[in-house]
Amino acid sequence: MTALLSIKDLRTYFFTDDGVVKAVDGVSFSLARGQILGLVGESGSGKSVTGFSLLGLVDPPGRVVGGSIRFDGKDLLTGGEPALRALRGKRIAMIFQDPMMTLNPVLRIDTQMIETVLAHDNVSRTEALKRARDALVMVGISSPDERLQSYPHQFSGGMRQRVAIAIAMLHKPDLIIADEPTTALDVTIQAQILAEVQKLCAETGTALIWITHDLAIVSGLADRLAVMYAGRVVEEGETARVIERPLHPYTKGLIASVPQGKTRGARLQQISGMPPSLRNLPKGCAFRPRCSRADEACLEEPALEEKLPDRKTRCFHPWSLDDARDTRRQAPSKDGMAETTT
Amino acid sequence: MTGPIIDIDGVSKRFVKSLDMAERAARLLGANVREFVVNAVDDVHLSIRQGEVMGLVGESGCGKSTLGRIVAGLYAPSAGTVRFRGRDVAALEGEDAREAALKVQMVFQDPMASLNPRLRIDEIIGEAPRVHGLAARGEIGAYVEAALQRVGLDPAMRKRYPHQFSGGQRARIGIARALAVKPEFMVCDESVAALDVSIQAQILNLFMDLREELNLTYLFISHDLGVVEHISDRVAVMYLGRVVEQGVSEDVFASPNHPYTQALLAEIPTFEAKKKSYSVIKGEIPSPIDPPSGCHFHPRCPHAFALCRAERPPLKEIAPQRYSACHLNDAT
Ligand SMILES: Nc1ncnc2c1ncn2[C@@H]1O[C@H](COP(=O)(O)OP(=O)(O)OP(=O)(O)O)[C@@H](O)[C@H]1O
Ligand SMILES: Nc1ncnc2c1ncn2[C@@H]1O[C@H](COP(=O)(O)OP(=O)(O)OP(=O)(O)O)[C@@H](O)[C@H]1O
Ligand code: SF4
Ligand code: SF4
Ligand SMILES: [Mg+2]
Ligand SMILES: [Mg+2]
C-alpha cells in the first residue's frame, strides 16, 4: 500500500524569548488513502502543532527545523510556499480546534460556505448554496435556511464546531486534519458526524487525521493510532492492538485513566507527576520521571522502533505481550498510576 | 441544607433576527430571507444551593450556554428574574452590582474568544485581583504563579500571549482567571471538554477541593455525562430551551424518568477496542427557531400520544426532589 502521507521525524520548534520550545520533536507516521489515523496525547503534547506544520501554518518565532513530509509523492517541506499554498485548501483541509479560526466573524455563514464551494468547483451560486445547505444538514444543523443567514456569533459553541466541519467537507479534500472537532458535542450529534466522516472516507478515499484526547471515540473510529508524548510519537500501530496491548507505559496509563463505571465523588486516577516542561525536558526518555518501569537505561533517549510486527514504540522496556494483557478490564494494576495531591 | 445562592425564576431568552437594510432590499427582489426568533431559553426555573454542584446537560444548541450567561449576568433575560442570595441581579446598582458580578464568574466554552489576545497571561489572570485588591501590589506575581500552578500550567509560561498556548492550556487559563477573583459561584461551560483525562481529573479534583475549602457553588455545563455524573450533586436536563428533568444526580442517572433523559443515557459511549459503524440521526432534528408544538420532544419520542402534540407538559414534582415534564406521569 503506498502512503498518501508519510511523515518522518518531524521537528517544529518555537524560538521564544525565554527559550526554545520543542513543541514537535520527532513525529513519524504514515497514512494511506481512505484511512483514519487517531493522533492522541495529553494537552500540550504537540498534536495541533503537528497539524499546523503539515499545512505550513507555523508562524515565527516558530519553524519546522527538521524531518520530512511527503504528500502524494511530493515533498511539502522543500516544495516552497506557493506549492504548499496550492495544496492547502485544495487537497488538504484542516478543521481547527478553535472553530473561529475557520469562520469569519463578520460574514454570514451562507457567504462563507458559497465562497468555499466556488473556490473549488465551477458551479452556479444556486448550486453552491444547495451544497452548503446539504452540508449543514449533514452535520445535524436544523432550520438550515435560517441558519445560513446567520453570523457565527449567533450559533452555539457546538454548532460553530459543526459548521467548521461542514466547510472542511465542502472542500472534498484528499486529506482532512481534524483537530478535536467534536470536543463539545453530545454523543448523538457526535455519532451523526462520525457516520458522515466514515462515509466520506469510505466513498471518496479521503484520508483523515483525527486529533483528540478522547480514546473512547478514536478507538471506535480510527484504523491506526499514534500516541504523542512531549512532542514525540511514542507508540504507533493498529488501533485495536494498541488499545488491547499497549506497549508504552504512557499509553498504558492513558488507557487506565479513562473514567469508567461508578466513580461518582471519588478522586479520579491520574498519571502520576506533572506534564514535562518542553523547554526543559528530562534527560533521556521524556516520560522517565513519571514511569514505573524506568531504570538507568532510560537515561539514554529511546528511538521509535518496531518491537513487534507493525507495532512501533519509543521505550527500552515496553510491556511484553504477556504482561500487556487487556489493561482495561484488569484495572487494579496500578502501574504508573497514582493519585496526585493538588 | 442552606437556602439557594442562585435562584433562576421563570427565565426566558429569545434572540430576534431582524432584517438589515440589504436583506430587506434582497427580499423585495424575491430572495428567500425572513425574520426569525430563536427561543434559546424558555421559562426555566432552577434553584442552586450554596456549596452544591448543579450539572446541566442537553444536546448541542439546547440553550445551556445562554442560561449560563444569564446566570453570570452577561445576558439580560427576556423574561423572568435571576436572584443572587435572594436579590434580583437586574435591580442591583453601583457597588452591589460590581460585587455580584465579581462573585459570579463564568468559564467560557470558547477560551480563545474570551481571552484578550494582546495581553500576556500574567496580566489576564492578575488584572482583576489587582484592581479589586485581592492580592497586595507586591504579591501579584506570586498570586498569578500559584493560580497557574493550580491548573497544571508551568508558571514559566506567564509572559506568553494566549495564541502561544495549546487548546487545553488556554482552557485552563480561563479557569485560572475565573478562580483568581475568589468567586462564590462558578458557571463552568464545557470547562474540561478540551482536556485529556489526566489533566481533566486534576481540574475536577481541584473543583471538588475548592468546594470543600471555600464552599464554592457550581453550575456545571457539560456534554460529557460521565463527567457530570461524577461531579454533580444534582442535575438538570435541558431540551430545546426547557428543563425537562431535574433531580439528585444519582437518582436521575439510575432511573431517568423523562423519555429524553432515557434516550440520552442510553447513548453513553462505551470504550471498546473495536471499530464501530456510526449511524445517522433518524428524522428531522428539531429547531429552536421552529420548535414542535406541545412537548418539544414529541417528534422523537417513542411514547408520544395525542396530548403530547397539543399541550406543553409542566415540570412537576414526581417524587421528593425529583421533577419531570412528561404527560406520561399523569396517565395512570
Ligand atoms: N506560538 C507558540 N509559541 C510558543 N509555544 C507554543 C506556541 N504554540 C504552541 N506552543 C507550545 O507547544 C506545545 C504544543 O502545543 P500544541 O498546541 O501542539 O498542543 P496540543 O497537543 O494540541 O494540546 P491540546 O490538547 O491542549 O490542544 C505546547 O506546550 C504549547 O504551549
Ligand atoms: N447571540 C445570539 N444571537 C442569536 N442566537 C443565539 C445567540 N446565542 C445563542 N443563540 C442561539 O440560541 C440557541 C442556544 O444556544 P446556546 O449557545 O445556549 O446552546 P448550547 O446548549 O450551549 O449548545 P452547545 O452545546 O452547542 O454549546 C442556539 O440555537 C443558538 O443559535
Ligand atoms: S524508556 Fe524507560 S522511562 Fe521511558 S517509557 Fe520506557 S521504561 Fe519508561
Ligand atoms: S410528554 Fe409525550 S412526547 Fe413528551 S416526553 Fe412525555 S410522552 Fe414523550
Ligand atoms: Mg491542540
Ligand atoms: Mg454552549
Side-chain angles (χ1 to χ4, degrees):
Chain A
M1 199 158 35
T2 60
L4 171 72
L5 175 74
S6 158
I7 304 181
K8 285 216 175 64
D9 201 27
L10 181 70
R11 275 170 289 136
T12 305
Y13 296 175
F14 291 93
F15 300 89
T16 64
D17 294 345
D18 49 9
V20 180
V21 180
K22 300 181 174 178
V24 172
D25 196 25
V27 165
S28 309
F29 58 79
S30 56
L31 192 61
R33 277 184 199 284
Q35 230 177 24
I36 304 180
L37 173 101
L39 188 58
V40 302
E42 68 190 347
S43 179
S45 59
K47 305 180 297 291
S48 298
V49 173
T50 299
F52 296 154
S53 307
L54 274 172
L55 280 173
L57 291 180
V58 179
D59 291 326
R63 194 153 43 86
V64 176
V65 297
S68 73
I69 304 174
R70 291 192 75 77
F71 177 75
D72 201 13
K74 283 182 276 301
D75 191 327
L76 290 193
L77 290 182
T78 57
E81 262 303 293
L84 202 66
R85 254 202 303 273
L87 273 181
R88 169 171 126 203
K90 273 231 186 302
R91 301 190 55 196
I92 307 178
M94 183 151 178
I95 303 167
F96 295 99
Q97 188 166 10
D98 179 350
M100 288 315 286
M101 275 183 79
T102 304
L103 303 174
N104 184 333
V106 300
L107 291 182
R108 272 179 20 178
I109 294 300
D110 52 0
T111 316
Q112 307 193 35
M113 294 185 82
I114 288 170
E115 249 141 52
T116 304
V117 176
L118 294 181
H120 290 88
D121 277 316
N122 193 4
V123 296
S124 69
R125 279 191 86 80
T126 321
E127 168 64 17
L129 181 65
K130 186 184 163 295
R131 283 197 203 170
R133 186 186 188 280
D134 292 345
L136 286 187
V137 172
M138 216 160 68
V139 293
I141 301 241
S142 53
S143 300
D145 295 315
E146 286 85 357
R147 294 302 188 180
L148 276 167
Q149 291 160 30
S150 305
Y151 292 89
H153 76 270
Q154 294 170 323
F155 288 75
S156 78
M159 288 161 77
R160 273 196 292 272
Q161 277 194 326
R162 286 182 276 154
V163 172
I165 294 171
I167 289 180
M169 289 170 115
L170 283 177
H171 286 277
K172 296 204 192 122
D174 292 316
L175 172 65
I176 298 181
I177 303 164
D179 193 357
E180 307 267 12
T182 59
T183 38
L185 297 178
D186 48 283
V187 280
T188 334
I189 302 274
Q190 227 168 47
Q192 160 95 14
I193 286 170
L194 297 177
E196 295 293 350
V197 160
Q198 279 182 333
K199 200 167 98 194
L200 184 78
C201 293
E203 284 174 4
T204 65
T206 297
L208 182 71
I209 297 175
W210 191 269
I211 299 177
T212 182
H213 60 269
D214 190 335
L215 273 176
I217 289 204
V218 89
S219 67
L221 178 73
D223 303 297
R224 299 184 70 79
L225 269 192
V227 181
M228 284 187 74
Y229 186 78
R232 302 179 176 119
V233 168
V234 295
E235 174 147 15
E236 205 250 337
E238 200 189 304
T239 305
R241 295 176 60 210
V242 172
I243 303 263
E244 293 284 348
R245 294 181 169 85
L247 292 178
H248 198 280
Y250 173 66
T251 316
K252 195 170 154 81
L254 202 62
I255 292 168
S257 33
V258 175
Q260 280 179 320
K262 299 277 160 271
T263 55
R264 216 182 84 78
R267 292 182 76 84
L268 293 165
Q269 245 182 24
Q270 299 172 214
I271 296 175
S272 67
M274 289 278 281
S277 158
L278 292 181
R279 291 172 309 115
N280 195 6
L281 283 180
K283 186 167 150 18
C285 173
F287 191 57
R288 188 170 48 84
R290 303 169 79 179
C291 181
S292 62
R293 294 170 78 85
D295 63 13
E296 296 85 78
C298 309
L299 287 166
E300 297 289 317
E301 203 182 312
L304 186 64
E305 283 171 351
E306 192 152 341
K307 298 278 180 183
L308 289 173
D310 192 32
R311 290 295 306 278
K312 290 198 186 115
T313 188
R314 193 189 283 275
C315 174
F316 292 115
H317 312 297
W319 291 86
S320 74
L321 269 188
D322 289 348
D323 54 7
R325 237 173 277 129
D326 193 347
T327 46
R328 289 167 302 117
R329 278 171 208 111
Q330 302 181 346
S333 146
K334 280 253 181 183
D335 285 279
M337 310 297 303
E339 285 206 338
T340 56
T341 42
T342 28
Chain B
M1 280 289 162
T2 36
I5 175 166
I6 286 280
D7 191 19
I8 303 169
D9 188 3
V11 162
S12 299
K13 181 74 186 175
R14 298 182 306 136
F15 293 104
V16 182
K17 166 78 164 64
S18 45
L19 299 182
D20 60 25
M21 213 154 54
E23 288 167 333
R24 281 200 300 272
R27 189 162 66 169
L28 287 179
L29 298 172
N32 174 30
V33 290
R34 67 174 179 100
E35 296 193 357
F36 59 86
V37 176
V38 181
N39 293 292
V41 174
D42 184 4
D43 193 22
V44 167
H45 294 260
L46 204 61
S47 302
I48 306 173
R49 300 177 202 121
Q50 175 89 48
E52 78 172 338
V53 181
M54 171 67 84
L56 184 60
V57 301
E59 85 193 330
S60 174
C62 71
K64 305 181 294 297
S65 298
T66 304
L67 186 62
R69 282 170 172 269
I70 292 172
V71 170
L74 300 167
Y75 282 157
S78 313
T81 0
V82 175
R83 278 183 287 271
F84 177 60
R85 297 202 183 287
R87 299 171 69 188
D88 182 351
V89 176
L92 296 179
E93 281 175 1
E95 189 56 34
D96 289 345
R98 284 237 321 273
E99 168 90 3
L102 203 62
K103 291 294 176 213
V104 183
Q105 284 290 315
M106 177 149 183
V107 181
F108 296 92
Q109 182 169 12
D110 185 350
M112 197 55 186
S114 64
L115 301 175
N116 185 335
R118 279 181 291 277
L119 291 186
R120 294 177 192 272
I121 295 317
D122 58 347
E123 298 167 309
I124 289 177
I125 295 173
E127 170 75 4
R130 191 179 53 76
V131 171
H132 297 282
L134 293 171
R137 194 162 289 271
E139 286 158 17
I140 288 285
Y143 192 80
V144 169
E145 287 193 12
L148 285 172
Q149 225 141 20
R150 270 202 304 212
V151 295
L153 291 174
D154 184 354
M157 295 173 166
R158 69 185 184 283
K159 289 289 171 200
R160 286 201 207 160
Y161 294 95
H163 77 269
Q164 294 176 308
F165 287 86
S166 79
Q169 289 166 343
R170 275 199 289 269
R172 283 176 279 159
I173 292 166
I175 294 170
R177 178 181 60 177
L179 288 175
V181 301
K182 304 206 162 105
E184 290 174 13
F185 188 96
M186 289 264 284
V187 179
C188 298
D189 194 356
E190 298 286 1
S191 298
V192 297
L195 305 178
D196 55 275
V197 278
S198 178
I199 305 271
Q200 183 171 305
Q202 181 181 348
I203 298 292
L204 293 177
N205 289 343
L206 172 68
F207 284 160
M208 298 309 264
D209 292 344
L210 291 174
R211 177 166 85 147
E212 295 285 295
E213 285 165 30
L214 311 171
N215 210 10
L216 203 54
T217 311
Y218 300 87
L219 177 62
F220 193 87
I221 301 173
S222 175
H223 73 283
D224 187 330
L225 296 170
V227 167
V228 170
E229 180 176 16
H230 175 83
I231 197 168
S232 312
D233 302 303
R234 290 192 297 152
V235 62
V237 182
M238 274 182 89
Y239 188 78
L240 233 52
R242 298 174 180 170
V243 169
V244 295
E245 180 157 8
Q246 189 214 307
V248 173
S249 234
E250 260 169 310
D251 302 347
V252 173
F253 280 93
S255 56
N257 174 275
H258 196 280
Y260 173 63
T261 316
Q262 290 169 3
L264 198 66
L265 295 187
E267 303 265 6
I268 295 186
T270 50
F271 181 37
E272 279 172 87
K274 206 171 78 225
K275 217 174 154 167
K276 292 190 243 316
S277 191
Y278 294 95
S279 56
V280 172
I281 298 172
K282 291 177 287 289
E284 186 81 357
I285 296 166
S287 159
I289 291 173
D290 198 5
S293 61
C295 171
H296 285 347
F297 190 54
H298 83 250
R300 293 162 98 180
C301 180
H303 313 291
F305 56 109
L307 183 61
C308 305
R309 267 173 291 275
E311 246 175 68
R312 169 183 183 166
L315 188 66
K316 284 206 308 209
E317 188 158 18
I318 53 162
Q321 296 239 28
R322 185 70 178 280
Y323 300 82
S324 177
C326 172
H327 289 308
L328 286 179
N329 292 316
D330 295 331
T332 35

